[in-house]
Amino acid sequence: MEARVGAGFLKALERIDGDVGDALEPRLRDMIRLRVSHLNGCHHSVRLHSESLAQGGTRPDLIAALARPARQIRPGLVTDGEAAALRLAEVLTDAPRALEQEARAHAGEWFNATQLGAIVEVVAVTNAWNRVMRGAE
């Protein structure tokens, strides 16, 4: 049976999504959204964020690489800061809680507290969207 998510909930989620992650570069926000969507198996969101990155001029090999764990992305394809942000996003999405402190501290080498908070916001909202999209399929 198909699940129908209420229009009010979707509009609220859209408003929240529009307000998160402003402390980050748009490309990094989309990279995080794509990586999290891969982890969650949300094909709709993978397509959406892949297209957004492509339209913004991101190289196809980087878009493809975001299907793999951050630690497996070819050196030089992302900056050390981007890799740290992607790793934090992975840990917040799908890893034992014990890894969060290490991943946050590592990302803190490149991002200030506001930017770290923005990463958390983007991950949280992307996870919510992924659950809504998968649950409504």
Side-chain angles (χ1 to χ4, degrees), residues 33-34 37 42-50 129-130 133:
R33 287 175 171 141
L34 178 56
S37 296
C42 183
H43 304 294
H44 170 79
S45 295
V46 166
R47 186 178 64 251
L48 177 78
H49 300 304
S50 294
W129 271 118
N130 291 165
M133 298 310 296

Side-chain angles (χ1 to χ4, degrees), residues 87-133:
R87 175 69 179 140
L88 178 57
E90 291 168 350
V91 168
L92 291 172
T93 298
D94 189 38
R97 186 162 168 75
L99 296 178
E100 289 178 16
Q101 187 173 4
E102 176 270 328
R104 189 176 305 107
H106 183 65
E109 294 175 22
W110 287 274
F111 301 96
N112 64 37
T114 300
Q115 292 168 317
L116 287 173
I119 293 169
V120 172
E121 293 169 4
V122 171
V123 170
V125 173
T126 303
N127 278 311
W129 271 118
N130 291 165
R131 266 68 176 178
V132 167
M133 298 310 296

Side-chain angles (χ1 to χ4, degrees), residues 14-58:
E14 285 176 0
R15 279 192 307 276
I16 292 169
D17 194 23
D19 290 337
V20 300
D22 287 344
L24 303 173
E25 293 293 323
R27 177 176 170 251
L28 180 57
R29 278 197 313 265
D30 276 341
M31 289 169 59
I32 291 169
R33 287 175 171 141
L34 178 56
R35 181 69 195 119
V36 168
S37 296
H38 274 297
L39 287 169
N40 288 326
C42 183
H43 304 294
H44 170 79
S45 295
V46 166
R47 186 178 64 251
L48 177 78
H49 300 304
S50 294
E51 290 172 359
S52 178
L53 282 165
Q55 289 171 355
T58 299

